[in-house]
């Protein structure tokens, strides 16, 4: 046993020493610590290691190829191979990942494993990219919801030392209405976030500054094009699609290899920040070391001579208002701050939109506007539009209204009044210019309803065979004890009280052509909830029959109809005119005597 333990210790020490020596050598040369061909599951594609950035997939880079950190992993690698799935609670900040950041990576891995298991996304890849892009959200400086305490913005991608990407979001995410900037802990440019943004923390927002949202978006972006990230070549393509740089790929690979050997959780806000950027931020100009001293070979400009009395002004001199055409400097224009920039539009708690035809909706559509920092933003114009053919309109008979948000960032549309046609429609809220934000609400108009319908008379309804019923059938419909106006009613001759079987004999109605029909579906109660049925006729079959009336809302009533021949009565004898009853009475006859 002792010998076995010594062999394990020697083996572990040798492995650690070799790894440390390799990393030290790589660090001294500023090369990455991991070999590109080594994929997450071992093996790899030798071509991937030497792949030039131009051979990366044609899809645009998620970060716009913005700068990143090139710091390499620590020289002392984790000494717990395979233990990254069971990490200690605390440890050195040098190699640790802040708690919220680590939780976001692992949550993203689990979510993608459910929706795209063939991708085999490792959370360590997200950790490697997060380390290189933002130093794990600046060392884990996030709030309890996982949102960075201050925006993480890359330099303006203005083509001066960086890619040229003109503004795509109106400055909503990056507070720059001229050029795009990479945003958030995973450094998405706004145009990429518009396509790949996620709401992973369930707050109803897709926020690139939130580590949970950003990590899931990064995971799904890396898995695009049916990639299997357990294959080295696919993993390399995925990383290059994030930032088209071979140096970037090698740096991410080195951190991926490092995290796969083990890491640990540290408290939020205690992470070590990277220090070495890939590309220095361009400066607008480098001042001369000795201002005023001409550089060698330069021809000094002649100094303007003072104007002589009575002479003309020296060339190039002009006074304000003297008619000179020299361009005048424009006053600087101030850009809106993130607090003034419209960022997002959200539902402000609008409940289900349902109403009965002709009635007002109980709910009113309300939205919440936020600025680029996620705080409520006032004075934002929101246009609400009704779309559909139910006849529903806003109060005042308008299909479109515009409302400005208040100081709390909310805007509430006027009351909706349902039209007379049942069906579905939508209300759309639109705010912002350039790249407007849109919310769509589904709404439903139901037919007018009645919960009770009853006959208003009690007289028996009888008709002779081949005749018609002399008394009309009249009913009243109510809803919550009030008259139910405009309620659709169906009248059917049936064999049973439940109306399961229609009757083809007995009483009937007539259609417009005068033909017999035993079902009417075009009946509607009047303003008082009353309905008088059309005439009812009888065929030649005697018997007792049932008429069933049903309404929208489920109310029903069954009425008996009887077809019966009238009873025959004997005619009374009458005396001839001019005679008395005595004279017409039969006379007694005498019986002859025997």
């Amino acid at each position: 046993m002792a010998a076995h333990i010594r062999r394990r210790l020697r083996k572990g020490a040798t492995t650690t020493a070799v790894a440390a020596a390799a990393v030290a050598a790589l660090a001294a040369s500023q090369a990455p610590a991991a070999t590109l061909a080594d994929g997450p599951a071992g093996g790899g594609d030798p071509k991937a290691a030497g792949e030039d950035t131009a051979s990366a997939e044609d899809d645009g880079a998620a970060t716009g190829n913005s700068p990143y950190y090139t710091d390499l992993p620590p020289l002392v690698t984790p000494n717990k191979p395979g233990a990254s799935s069971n990490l200690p609670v605390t440890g050195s900040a040098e190699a640790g990942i802040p708690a919220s950041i680590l939780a976001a990576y692992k949550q993203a891995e689990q979510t993608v494993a459910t929706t795209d298991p063939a991708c085999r996304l490792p959370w360590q890849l997200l950790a490697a990219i997060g380390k290189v892009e933002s130093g794990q959200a600046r060392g884990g400086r996030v709030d309890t919801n996982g949102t960075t305490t201050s925006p993480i913005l890359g330099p303006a991608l203005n083509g001066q030392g960086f890619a040229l990407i003109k503004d795509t979001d109106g400055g909503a995410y990056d507070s720059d209405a001229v050029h795009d900037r990479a945003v958030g802990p995973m450094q998405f440019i706004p145009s990429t976030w518009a396509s790949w943004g996620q709401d992973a923390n369930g707050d109803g927002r897709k926020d690139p500054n939130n580590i949970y949202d950003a990590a899931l978006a990064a995971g799904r972006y890396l898995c695009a094009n049916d990639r299997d990230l357990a294959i080295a070549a696919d993993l390399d393509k995925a990383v290059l699609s994030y930032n088209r740089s071979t140096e970037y790929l090698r740096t991410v690979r080195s951190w991926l290899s490092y995290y796969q050997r083990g890491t640990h959780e540290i408290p939020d806000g205690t992470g070590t920040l990277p220090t070495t950027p890939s590309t220095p931020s361009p400066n607008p100009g480098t001042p001369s070391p000795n201002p005023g001293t001409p550089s060698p070979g330069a021809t000094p400009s002649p100094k303007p001579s003072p104007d002589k009395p009575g002479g003309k002004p020296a060339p190039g001199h002009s006074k304000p208002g003297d008619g000179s055409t020299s361009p005048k400097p424009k006053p600087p224009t101030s850009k809106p701050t993130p607090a003034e920039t419209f960022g997002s539009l959200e539902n402000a708690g609008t409940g289900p939109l349902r109403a009965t035809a002709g009635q007002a909706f109980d709910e009113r559509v309300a939205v919440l506007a936020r600025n680029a920092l996620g705080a409520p933003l006032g004075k934002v114009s929101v246009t609400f539009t009704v779309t559909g053919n139910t006849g529903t309109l806003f109060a005042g008979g308008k299909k479109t209204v515009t409302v400005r948000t208040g100081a709390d960032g909310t805007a509430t549309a006027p009351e909706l009044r349902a039209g007379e046609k049942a069906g579905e429609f939508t209300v759309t809220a639109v705010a912002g210019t350039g790249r407007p934000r849109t919310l769509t609400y589904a709404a439903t108009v139901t037919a007018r309803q009645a919960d009770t319908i009853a006959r208003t008379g009690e007289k028996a309804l009888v008709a002779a065979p081949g005749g018609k019923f002399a008394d009309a059938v009249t009913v009243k419909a109510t809803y919550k004890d009030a008259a139910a106006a405009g309620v659709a009613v169906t009248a059917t001759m049936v064999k049973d009280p439940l109306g399961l079987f229609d009757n083809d004999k007995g009483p009937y109605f007539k259609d417009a052509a005068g033909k017999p029909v035993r079902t009417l579906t075009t009946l509607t109660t009047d303003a008082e909830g009353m309905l008088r049925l059309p005439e009812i006729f009888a065929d030649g079959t005697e018997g007792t029959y049932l008429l069933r009336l049903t309404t929208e809302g489920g109310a029903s009533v069954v009425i008996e109809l009887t077809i019966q021949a009238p009873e025959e009565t004997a005619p009374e004898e009458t005396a001839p005119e001019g005679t008395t009853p005595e004279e017409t009475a039969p006379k007694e006859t005498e019986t002859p005597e025997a």
Side-chain angles (χ1 to χ4, degrees):
M1 177 62 74
H4 177 67
I5 293 175
R6 284 195 296 273
R7 283 196 299 274
R8 290 183 59 187
L9 290 174
R10 284 198 299 272
K11 184 178 178 181
T14 301
T15 303
T16 302
V18 170
V23 174
L26 290 168
S29 64
Q30 288 299 300
T35 304
L36 295 184
D38 294 335
D45 182 356
K47 292 186 297 181
E51 184 178 24
D52 185 75
T53 56
S55 66
E57 293 181 357
D58 293 335
D59 52 343
T63 65
N65 298 318
S66 60
Y68 53 91
Y69 291 108
T70 60
D71 299 48
L72 295 173
L75 296 179
V76 180
T77 60
N79 58 2
K80 293 187 178 182
S84 59
S85 61
N86 185 18
L87 305 178
V89 176
T90 60
S92 168
E94 182 183 28
I97 299 178
S100 294
I101 314 304
L102 181 59
Y105 296 150
K106 289 188 173 182
Q107 177 177 298
E109 178 192 58
Q110 294 172 357
T111 302
V112 173
T114 301
T115 59
D116 188 6
C119 175
R120 295 192 280 183
L121 169 74
W123 67 260
Q124 292 91 339
L125 177 59
L126 298 175
I129 291 176
K131 180 69 173 181
V132 173
E133 290 294 346
S134 67
Q136 310 297 20
R138 291 177 179 159
R141 288 164 175 79
V142 296
D143 61 20
T144 55
N145 294 321
T147 302
T148 56
T149 53
S150 61
I152 301 177
L153 299 175
L157 299 175
N158 55 12
Q160 299 179 17
F162 309 106
L164 175 59
I165 303 180
K166 294 184 178 180
D167 174 66
T168 61
D169 67 330
Y173 293 119
D174 55 11
S175 303
D176 190 333
V178 179
H179 298 96
D180 272 351
R181 299 169 181 258
V183 182
M186 302 304 281
Q187 288 289 278
F188 279 96
I189 55 174
S191 58
T192 305
W193 184 258
S195 300
W196 292 92
Q198 303 290 317
D199 175 19
N201 64 349
D203 64 354
R205 301 178 57 212
K206 297 178 181 179
D207 185 0
N209 294 297
N210 182 275
I211 185 59
Y212 291 95
D213 294 357
L216 181 57
R220 288 184 167 156
Y221 180 89
L222 294 166
C223 288
N225 300 323
D226 298 322
R227 298 187 186 108
D228 180 353
L229 300 183
I231 299 174
D234 276 6
L235 186 141
D236 290 346
K237 290 178 181 179
V239 175
L240 286 171
S241 75
Y242 215 86
N243 193 310
R244 296 189 180 190
S245 163
T246 302
E247 180 189 25
Y248 178 85
L249 172 61
R250 289 175 176 169
T251 306
V252 169
R253 275 287 209 161
S254 67
W255 280 103
L256 170 61
S257 178
Y258 177 80
Y259 287 136
Q260 285 178 327
R261 290 194 295 270
T263 184
H264 54 267
E265 176 185 302
I266 60 175
D268 288 347
T270 64
T272 302
L273 299 180
T275 58
T276 310
S278 61
T279 305
S281 299
N283 295 321
T286 304
S288 173
N290 297 306
T293 303
S295 57
T299 304
S301 301
K303 296 181 180 179
S305 58
D307 298 341
K308 297 180 180 180
K312 296 181 180 180
H317 282 254
S318 62
K319 296 179 180 179
D322 64 356
S324 170
T325 59
S326 301
K328 296 179 176 60
K330 296 180 180 179
T333 57
S334 59
K335 296 180 180 179
T337 65
E340 300 169 331
T341 303
F342 175 50
S344 64
L345 193 66
E346 305 171 9
N347 183 0
T350 305
L353 296 172
R354 301 190 188 96
T356 302
Q359 304 299 313
F361 282 75
D362 292 334
E363 286 284 329
R364 294 171 63 182
V365 179
V367 298
L368 170 63
R370 295 185 183 274
N371 61 21
L373 300 177
L377 181 62
K379 299 182 180 180
V380 176
S381 293
V382 183
T383 299
F384 299 91
T385 303
V386 174
T387 303
N389 60 356
T390 65
T392 302
L393 298 170
F394 289 112
K398 298 180 179 179
K399 294 191 71 172
T400 300
V401 294
T402 299
V403 181
R404 289 168 68 90
T405 60
D408 61 352
T410 62
T412 303
E415 181 183 68
L416 282 167
R417 179 163 288 276
E420 289 299 331
K421 185 176 180 180
E424 297 182 348
F425 67 97
T426 60
V427 179
T428 303
V430 181
T433 57
R435 184 173 171 270
R437 277 64 167 175
T438 302
L439 287 178
T440 301
Y441 299 80
T444 303
V445 176
T446 59
R448 294 175 182 261
Q449 299 180 0
D451 52 20
T452 303
I453 184 170
R455 186 184 170 202
T456 58
E458 296 181 355
K459 186 177 180 180
L461 300 170
V462 181
K468 66 178 179 180
F469 290 83
D471 297 308
V473 176
T474 305
V475 294
K476 182 174 183 178
T478 58
Y479 182 70
K480 295 181 179 179
D481 298 327
V487 175
V489 179
T490 299
T492 307
M493 301 299 176
V494 296
K495 293 181 179 180
D496 61 295
L498 296 179
L500 299 178
F501 303 97
D502 292 352
N503 206 336
D504 57 356
K505 297 179 181 179
Y508 61 89
F509 302 103
K510 288 184 179 181
D511 62 12
K515 295 181 179 180
V517 293
R518 288 183 166 84
T519 298
L520 294 179
T521 58
T522 58
L523 306 173
T524 307
T525 60
D526 62 17
E528 302 299 325
M530 302 294 293
L531 171 64
R532 180 186 176 95
L533 270 63
E535 286 185 315
I536 302 176
F537 300 87
D539 65 7
T541 309
E542 293 188 66
T544 299
Y545 299 90
L546 301 178
L547 167 63
R548 190 169 191 265
L549 304 177
T550 58
T551 71
E552 288 288 343
S556 65
V557 62
V558 176
I559 300 171
E560 286 189 357
L561 301 172
T562 302
I563 299 178
Q564 177 181 311
E567 296 181 359
E568 294 184 2
T569 57
E572 295 182 358
E573 294 183 1
T574 58
E577 186 176 354
T579 64
T580 63
E582 291 78 7
E583 292 176 334
T584 59
K587 296 181 178 179
E588 294 182 0
T589 59
E590 295 182 359
T591 304
E593 295 182 357

